[in-house]
């Protein structure tokens, strides 16, 4: 028997894998808010844990081999240790119908630089596309349009119920489309997500992935993502606070057992070895989460995440400037970036420039009329309040200046916004949602445009950005009597 000393987190991980000690206990209420078990682990010391693991034979061979601690073939439930980068993220691999396809991270997964966002497909929103239209979106974009990427989640559609489908309905819709159109599975890249927070445990990762596979009607998922981090993160609530709050992180709830980076890497590797996923990624995470996962994966000999997905637009460049772009770079961790909300919930189409969002409109009669016949998500009480960040005074000021730049150069604001995204070197792909076929066809046209935006246009956009680098996190709607709460109840600043 070999006795080795390793840092305590690694020793604990090996003990958990050996003993099958990944478990979860269900909280009362929604099945989407399960907490990991806090049951005590066996009273085994660090040295004993490593001795036990090292002497356990082939079951841990792949994991120990990946750590450089011994051989043995990897079993189906342990890391293979065989990961090798296929190349630099974002390199153009091919062009299909005028749409560039780029490598996602260091994986062999290649995605179109525009993908279909599906959050609202067949949802309860009044202007959400119904199932028939969603099918036509996929026909237009994937069968005939050069797009291969669909991004969804086990929670979609949002909002669910009512006139819309139940949670998981969007995955089922995609599955019905693939079967009815007899689409070759290799022609579609499907990215889906496990519900985040306390739901992200090794046991739930496996179970929820199998649920998604069943709803999609496929035997593998291309990219399996955590919808938001298991741990506390200041941006996990999509509010306006960028400040890390140590008090929140120290709470009993947060310290109750968030899944570690090491546990996450091993759980995802198990799905890869079983052939259930090709790669995995993060969503709504940050540079700490990204490097925590990539470094843990490298230490363990497992497959690192190939992607991180985040909110990104001309009025939300935080990922370029807060360390994510540096970490994800092909010169560093080599991770792809999927952007969403490139049009800032519709604000960067200019549709709310003349007449404000219904929830902001001082003209109550006009606001009520737009609530009854919404132009988009901002004319909805729920979305309008949740997505206030795109309508701060600073965000609207920047939007108006961007609109002027677009018009001066013969473009719509939507065209300039999407073409600007395409030219950011951090981005692998931009996920775009649509309410009608006209919007989709415009998006495809913008991404087929061979000419980049002129240097002067890019400079003019940067000049606006330099006046306020974080407009969606700036607000004049705060008050000391709010007890430290922001617009949607998050701690501020």
């Amino acid at each position: 028997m070999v006795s080795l000393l390793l840092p305590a987190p690694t020793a604990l991980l090996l003990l958990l894998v050996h003993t099958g000690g990944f478990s979860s206990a269900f909280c009362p209420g929604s099945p989407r808010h399960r907490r990991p078990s806090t049951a005590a682990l066996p009273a085994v010391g660090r040295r004993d844990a490593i001795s036990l693991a090292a002497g356990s034979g082939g079951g841990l061979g792949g994991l120990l081999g990946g750590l450089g601690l011994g051989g043995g073939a990897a079993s189906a439930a342990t890391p293979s240790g065989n990961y090798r980068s296929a190349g630099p993220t974002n390199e153009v691999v091919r062009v299909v119908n005028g749409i560039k396809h780029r490598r996602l991270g260091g994986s062999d997964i290649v995605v179109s630089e525009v993908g279909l966002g599906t959050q609202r497909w067949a949802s309860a929103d009044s202007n959400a596309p119904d199932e028939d239209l969603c099918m036509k979106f996929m026909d237009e974009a994937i069968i005939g349009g050069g797009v291969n990427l669909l991004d969804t989640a086990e929670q979609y559609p949002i909002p669910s119920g009512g006139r819309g489908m139940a949670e998981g309905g969007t995955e089922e819709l995609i599955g019905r489309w693939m079967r009815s159109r007899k689409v070759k599975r290799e022609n579609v890249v499907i990215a889906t997500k496990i519900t985040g927070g306390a739901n992200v445990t090794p046991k739930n990762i496996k179970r929820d992935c199998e649920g998604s596979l069943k709803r999609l009607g496929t035997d593998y998922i291309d990219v399996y993502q955590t919808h938001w981090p298991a741990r506390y993160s200041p941006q996990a609530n999509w509010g306006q606070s960028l400040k890390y709050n140590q008090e929140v992180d120290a709470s009993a709830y947060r310290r109750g057992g968030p899944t570690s980076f090491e546990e996450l890497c091993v759980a995802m590797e198990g799905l890869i070895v079983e052939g259930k996923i090709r790669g995995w990624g993060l969503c709504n995470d940050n540079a700490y989460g990204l490097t925590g996962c990539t470094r843990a994966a490298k230490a363990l000999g497992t497959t690192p995440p190939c992607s991180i997905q985040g909110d990104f637009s001309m009025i939300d460049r935080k990922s370029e400037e807060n360390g994510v772009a540096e970490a994800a770079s092909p010169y560093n961790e080599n991770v792809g970036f999927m952007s969403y909300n490139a049009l800032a919930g519709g604000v960067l189409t200019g549709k709310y420039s003349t007449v404000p969002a219904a929830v902001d409109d001082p003209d109550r009669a006009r606001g009520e009329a737009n609530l009854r016949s919404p132009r988009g998500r901002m004319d909805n009480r729920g979305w309008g309040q949740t997505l206030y960040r795109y309508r701060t005074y600073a965000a609207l000021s920047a939007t108006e200046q961007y609109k002027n730049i677009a018009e001066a150069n013969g473009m719509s604001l939507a065209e300039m916004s999407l073409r600007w995204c395409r030219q950011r070197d951090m981005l692998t792909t931009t996920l775009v949602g649509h309410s009608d076929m006209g919007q989709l066809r415009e998006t495809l046209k913008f991404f087929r445009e061979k000419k980049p935006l002129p240097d002067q246009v890019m400079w003019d956009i940067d000049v606006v950005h330099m006046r306020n680098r974080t407009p969606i996190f700036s607000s004049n709607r705060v008050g000391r009597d709010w007890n430290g709460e922001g617009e949607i109840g998050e701690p501020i600043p």
Side-chain angles (χ1 to χ4, degrees), residues 334-416:
N334 198 31
V335 174
F337 190 94
M338 299 184 186
S339 71
Y340 70 81
N341 272 343
L343 295 176
V347 170
L348 286 174
T349 65
K351 71 173 73 174
Y352 304 106
S353 293
T354 304
V355 177
V359 292
D360 300 331
D361 200 338
D363 185 330
R364 290 180 63 86
R366 185 174 62 187
E368 289 294 333
N370 281 329
L371 284 171
R372 290 190 296 271
S373 300
R375 295 162 292 172
R377 286 192 288 179
M378 300 301 174
D379 285 342
N380 174 280
R381 292 193 191 279
W383 282 120
Q385 292 171 338
T386 300
L387 300 178
Y388 165 71
R389 62 187 183 273
Y390 300 126
R391 304 188 319 277
T392 67
Y393 77 97
L396 292 178
S397 173
T399 296
E400 194 61 29
Q401 293 173 75
Y402 291 141
K403 183 170 179 281
N404 292 338
I405 294 170
E407 290 174 349
N409 287 275
M411 291 179 284
S412 68
L413 179 56
E415 177 179 356
M416 189 175 80

Side-chain angles (χ1 to χ4, degrees), residues 284-316:
N284 299 305
D285 214 317
N286 55 27
Y288 170 60
L290 174 61
T291 54
C293 287
T294 56
R295 291 291 145 173
K298 288 172 184 177
L300 293 166
T302 64
T303 305
C306 63
S307 68
I308 181 169
Q309 185 179 142
D311 200 337
F312 186 81
S313 68
M314 288 196 301
I315 59 174
D316 183 8

